[in-house]
Amino acid sequence: MKTPYKNIYNVLKLNRFIVLAVVIFAMLSSTFSLWMAFKTNKEALNSAFAINTDGSIIPLKLVTQKENFKVEALAHLDLFHNYFYNIDASNYERNLEKALWLGNSSVDNLYRQKKADGVYNRLLQYSLVQKVLSIDSQIEEQNGTYVFRTITVFEINRGSIIDTYELVSSGNLIPVDRNFPNNPHGLLITNYFENTLKKINDES
């Protein structure tokens, strides 16, 4: 029994339909791809960059990272200066131990110098209370290095006498691995130095 031949016109119509469908699908796919590329590029141009103060273009992601860094850096400096200078006879060992986690050997060297000078012995001997009143830090980026300058105002309560001092300190900040709870911000103070210390007023 012979196999009946299909109608040649039906075959051609089916082939033409398939080819036409493939071409239309390809055109729609290409159009959609071009539209998505255009939309993505437009959004990138509108939101992926920011203008620096000197007119240069900065990726927005980098701007966000820098903003986040500044917030954490200020919190880190605030934490350190509170631990290092907000001390009395009952908490100084605990606070200083916490402060040493936030800085490198420059902080440790300053602590050892103060200890050798008898600062903490006087704290114990006369039951002094050193209380931080305010901390104001400024941070700048210089050639990829973060430099800070902090003004710490604190008072020393000697019982009948309260002296208020203004301390200006400076140093650098470098990123390190976070260490909870010892170093929650993942930053380390380096090159720490007490620049000036002056008495503001005396209160009796």
Side-chain angles (χ1 to χ4, degrees):
M1 181 178 179
K2 294 182 177 180
T3 302
Y5 290 103
K6 293 182 179 180
N7 190 315
I8 188 66
Y9 293 106
N10 290 337
V11 173
L12 291 175
K13 285 173 65 178
L14 179 60
N15 288 343
R16 185 172 62 179
F17 175 79
I18 293 173
V19 171
L20 189 61
V22 171
V23 171
I24 293 174
F25 178 79
M27 290 178 63
L28 290 174
S29 178
S30 299
T31 302
F32 179 77
S33 298
L34 288 172
W35 177 77
M36 285 297 296
F38 174 78
K39 181 181 177 183
T40 303
N41 182 63
K42 185 177 180 180
E43 289 178 351
L45 289 175
N46 288 337
S47 61
F49 299 95
I51 306 298
N52 197 4
T53 53
D54 60 1
S56 59
I57 303 297
I58 306 175
L60 192 58
K61 184 178 180 181
L62 183 59
V63 173
T64 304
Q65 288 176 346
K66 288 186 176 181
E67 289 176 350
N68 292 340
F69 176 87
K70 185 175 182 180
V71 170
E72 293 219 53
L74 291 174
H76 185 85
L77 292 172
D78 189 78
L79 194 64
F80 167 76
H81 286 84
N82 265 304
Y83 281 149
F84 203 73
Y85 298 103
N86 201 72
I87 55 177
D88 57 41
S90 64
N91 70 9
Y92 83 97
E93 289 183 330
R94 182 174 64 254
N95 280 10
L96 290 173
E97 182 181 355
K98 292 178 180 179
L100 292 176
W101 276 96
L102 307 179
N104 72 345
S105 58
S106 61
V107 174
D108 184 62
N109 291 338
L110 178 61
Y111 159 71
R112 292 177 184 277
Q113 182 62 49
K114 286 178 178 288
K115 187 175 182 180
D117 291 342
V119 172
Y120 306 119
N121 283 337
R122 288 193 294 274
L123 195 74
L124 292 171
Q125 184 177 355
Y126 300 107
S127 298
L128 304 180
V129 176
Q130 185 168 296
K131 181 181 179 181
V132 171
L133 302 178
S134 67
I135 300 170
D136 182 22
S137 299
Q138 301 295 326
I139 304 171
E140 292 184 5
E141 183 181 2
Q142 299 177 1
N143 301 321
T145 302
Y146 292 95
V147 180
F148 72 86
R149 180 178 181 272
T150 301
I151 299 176
T152 305
V153 177
F154 62 90
E155 65 181 20
I156 297 180
N157 189 325
R158 295 179 170 87
S160 59
I161 300 175
I162 299 177
D163 295 328
T164 305
Y165 297 88
E166 179 186 270
L167 170 70
V168 178
S169 57
S170 62
N172 301 101
L173 283 172
I174 59 173
V176 295
D177 291 336
R178 295 179 191 270
N179 185 335
F180 293 97
N182 298 316
N183 191 335
H185 300 290
L187 295 169
L188 196 69
I189 294 171
T190 64
N191 301 320
Y192 186 68
F193 186 73
E194 292 183 342
N195 299 283
T196 60
L197 176 65
K198 66 178 181 180
K199 184 183 292 187
I200 298 178
N201 67 338
D202 294 331
E203 296 181 11
S204 300

